[in-house]
Amino acid sequence: MAAPSHVLPFLSPTGTASSVRASPGRSAGLLRCAAAAGQAGFFTRLGRLIKEKAKSDVEKLFSGFSKTRENLSVVDELLTYWNLADTDRVLDELEEALLVSDFGPKISFRIVDTLREEIRDGKLKSGAEIKAALKRCILELLTSKGSNSELNLGFRKPSVIMIVGVNGGGKTTSLGKLAHRFKNEGAKVLMAAGDTFRAAARDQLEVWAERTGSEIVIDNDKKAQPPAVLSQAVKRGKREGFDVVLCDTSGRLHTNYGLMEELVSCKKVLAKALPGAPNEILLVLDGTTGLNMLQQAREFNDVVGVTGFILTKLDGTARGGCVVSVVDELGIPVKFIGVGEGMEDLQPFDAEAFVEAIFP
């Protein structure tokens, strides 16, 4: 199935054709520079457009975190009739609510200690002020360590994104939804079916390619190793002018060191096929596992160097605090969150919208 053609904007050199004289060699150089600038501009706009869509999809985010918000509704109950004499009891119960929502002990204790100190210093004098300070603390945690949540697509095409994770976390589905977002912004997308161990994974990705109007590279003889498939995809991406190459990989447990090392081979092959690739290595984590995802994240990051997280299935859990925990523990930004089953339900992560969704 042929993908629609896509032309990147061309930025002309300063001056007009009639007023600029240059040698053939210099003209070719100017054209190359202008084309490179055009590609850089396209990727910058593409990343920004995708991120900005999060601002307009607040309702989806609000709905997706309904279970976490319900868990934290006790905060309003505690603070509505707060008075200074009840401070210790209220903060203890607030701490418990944060722990139940999987903010983790370290973050929960830190937030409550900050609030206690500000109350003692007379900076917080009402329940409304305490809630505002609570939201501010969480926002600061997310923005201080995970501020770069916009996709880094590089400066020349194709931009290469490698998707990794354990089986069952929503890896292939996330890749398909990501392709949908790119296609909606006019990008020419190529998928690479690097999960050669599961025939079902390849079939699933082919379905996503058809649904999104993307092209796909698969292992036709069913004998190729994942690095070979990914290398072939990137070379085709360069040759045929694709904007984005999305690389699926085999799901693996973080404790299987042999398979984890294969990811290193995949990463090296991508860099060999296109210097600077991959532009992003996104780890898909199942939000329903809560804080248990932290060890997975550490192992994958140690082995392959994760650049961002995709947290899935957050609409089915009340453990949304894990978003804050994973950013605080590893200093790696969340790039996308899954808040539903629909094509549009892989949302670019926006820290302010997230805080408003769990603490309305």
Side-chain angles (χ1 to χ4, degrees):
M1 174 173 50
S5 60
H6 178 72
V7 180
L8 293 174
F10 176 75
L11 302 181
S12 299
T14 304
T16 63
S18 59
S19 64
V20 176
R21 293 173 181 245
S23 66
R26 187 182 174 199
S27 296
L30 286 170
L31 287 171
R32 283 194 297 272
C33 289
Q39 290 180 25
F42 170 73
F43 284 129
T44 299
R45 286 193 297 278
L46 181 60
R48 188 179 300 124
L49 278 170
I50 289 176
K51 178 66 188 293
E52 285 176 352
K53 288 297 176 69
K55 307 281 187 187
S56 61
D57 290 334
V58 173
E59 283 189 17
K60 285 184 178 293
L61 191 68
F62 197 81
S63 174
F65 280 102
S66 60
K67 291 186 178 181
T68 299
R69 188 169 57 256
E70 186 178 331
N71 234 18
L72 293 169
S73 62
V74 67
V75 172
D76 280 332
E77 296 171 18
L78 289 170
L79 297 179
T80 299
Y81 301 106
W82 171 85
N83 62 69
L84 193 59
D86 283 339
T87 296
D88 287 338
R89 178 187 62 80
V90 167
L91 291 181
D92 285 346
E93 292 189 36
L94 174 59
E95 184 179 284
E96 184 178 346
L98 294 174
L99 289 168
V100 168
S101 297
D102 262 15
F103 279 84
K106 188 170 77 170
I107 291 176
S108 300
F109 299 161
R110 191 191 314 168
I111 290 173
V112 169
D113 285 346
T114 299
L115 295 177
R116 181 177 282 109
E117 184 175 334
E118 292 189 8
I119 291 170
R120 187 178 60 235
D121 292 344
K123 296 178 181 178
L124 305 176
K125 300 176 181 178
S126 69
E129 289 180 354
I130 294 172
K131 183 177 178 180
L134 169 63
K135 293 164 73 171
R136 186 198 70 229
C137 287
I138 294 172
L139 185 60
E140 287 175 354
L141 285 169
L142 288 169
T143 55
S144 63
K145 291 192 176 181
S147 57
N148 187 23
S149 59
E150 190 173 302
L151 282 174
N152 173 22
L153 299 175
F155 302 101
R156 60 180 176 180
K157 64 179 182 179
S159 180
V160 180
I161 299 175
M162 184 174 165
I163 310 292
V164 302
V166 303
N167 284 323
K171 181 170 50 63
T172 303
T173 298
S174 294
L175 188 152
K177 291 179 179 180
L178 195 54
H180 173 68
R181 283 205 170 263
F182 281 124
K183 292 292 290 185
N184 278 355
E185 301 304 333
K188 186 178 178 183
V189 178
L190 179 64
M191 297 180 179
D195 187 349
T196 60
F197 294 107
R198 285 194 313 131
R202 183 184 64 183
D203 295 343
Q204 185 184 1
L205 202 62
E206 286 187 283
V207 170
W208 274 108
E210 185 174 353
R211 289 178 70 185
T212 60
S214 303
E215 296 278 352
I216 188 170
V217 172
I218 62 174
D219 170 24
N220 287 317
D221 60 11
K222 300 181 181 179
K223 294 179 181 178
Q225 294 298 308
V229 176
L230 300 190
S231 176
Q232 180 187 349
V234 172
K235 289 174 181 176
R236 180 181 169 188
K238 288 169 59 180
R239 187 172 63 249
E240 299 182 18
F242 283 88
D243 298 317
V244 180
V245 178
L246 297 174
C247 300
D248 195 14
T249 59
S250 302
R252 63 206 71 218
L253 289 173
H254 57 284
T255 53
N256 189 323
Y257 297 106
L259 286 177
M260 291 293 282
E261 284 301 314
E262 183 189 75
L263 287 180
V264 178
S265 298
C266 289
K267 183 179 179 180
K268 288 179 178 178
V269 159
L270 292 174
K272 185 176 181 180
L274 181 67
N279 300 90
E280 291 271 16
I281 299 176
L282 302 181
L283 173 60
V284 178
L285 295 168
D286 183 345
T288 62
T289 64
L291 290 175
N292 293 328
M293 71 173 64
L294 285 175
Q295 189 56 37
Q296 283 181 33
R298 289 191 190 98
E299 295 287 349
F300 274 94
N301 186 46
D302 288 345
V303 171
V304 79
V306 173
T307 60
F309 297 120
I310 298 177
L311 300 187
T312 63
K313 308 179 186 179
L314 289 169
D315 57 310
T317 180
R319 306 167 83 176
C322 64
V323 174
V324 185
S325 297
V326 76
V327 172
D328 182 68
E329 286 285 331
L330 298 174
I332 298 171
V334 175
K335 304 275 184 167
F336 290 89
I337 50 177
V339 291
E341 297 295 327
M343 292 270 279
E344 302 287 345
D345 291 335
L346 184 70
Q347 296 288 305
F349 182 70
D350 180 85
E352 289 185 31
F354 166 76
V355 173
E356 290 301 322
I358 62 172
F359 291 109

